Amino acid sequence: MADTTQRDPEDRAAETASGETASGTDKKADKAAKRLARQMTAFAQRHGGSAEGQLAHIGRGTVRVALVGAGGDWGTLVAPSYETARRAAEAAGITLREDFDGELAAKVRTGPYEWTRMAGIQLGGPSNA
């Protein structure tokens, strides 16, 4: 017997070009947010127990998540969307800032790698292997 149920017009409008429904897209976003949250939590635990972050669009819908740990170590992650990054940070307990301003930048502790790399580029010195 043929299926005679009709889909809601909003469901049909939510289909993407690849044929995914909104619920399929939501599942992908949830999975990405959970993965990012685990990475953010691990970063915070390794670098002083907490972290702050800032989100910035970097192109084609992707977002850079800059993290600064309580100990001053820093790192970045890339998220597939702003909303995914925001949800992941919230789940991980990361405090998000609007800008990577002077106050947040002052917390960043650069190590020998960054200093030699910057000097190598600027002064023609050796680059790191």
Side-chain angles (χ1 to χ4, degrees), residues 39-88:
Q39 292 172 326
M40 290 176 184
T41 300
F43 176 87
Q45 289 173 347
R46 282 192 315 268
H47 300 289
S50 65
E52 296 180 64
Q54 190 265 337
L55 308 179
H57 293 279
I58 56 174
R60 293 191 182 230
T62 56
V63 174
R64 175 188 60 119
V65 182
L67 297 170
V68 180
D73 293 318
W74 61 278
T76 60
L77 295 168
V78 176
S81 72
Y82 190 90
E83 182 60 24
T84 300
R86 188 197 59 74
R87 286 187 9 222

Side-chain angles (χ1 to χ4, degrees), residues 72-74 105-106 108-128:
D73 293 318
W74 61 278
V108 173
R109 181 175 51 96
T110 54
Y113 172 83
E114 290 85 8
W115 284 105
T116 58
R117 183 74 179 143
M118 288 186 282
I121 292 170
Q122 295 298 319
L123 304 175
S127 63
N128 290 328

Side-chain angles (χ1 to χ4, degrees), residues 8 17 25-26 29 31 61 68 76 86 90 94 102 106 116 120:
D8 185 23
T25 304
D26 290 344
K31 188 175 181 178
V68 180
T76 60
R86 188 197 59 74
E90 185 177 290
I94 304 294
T116 58

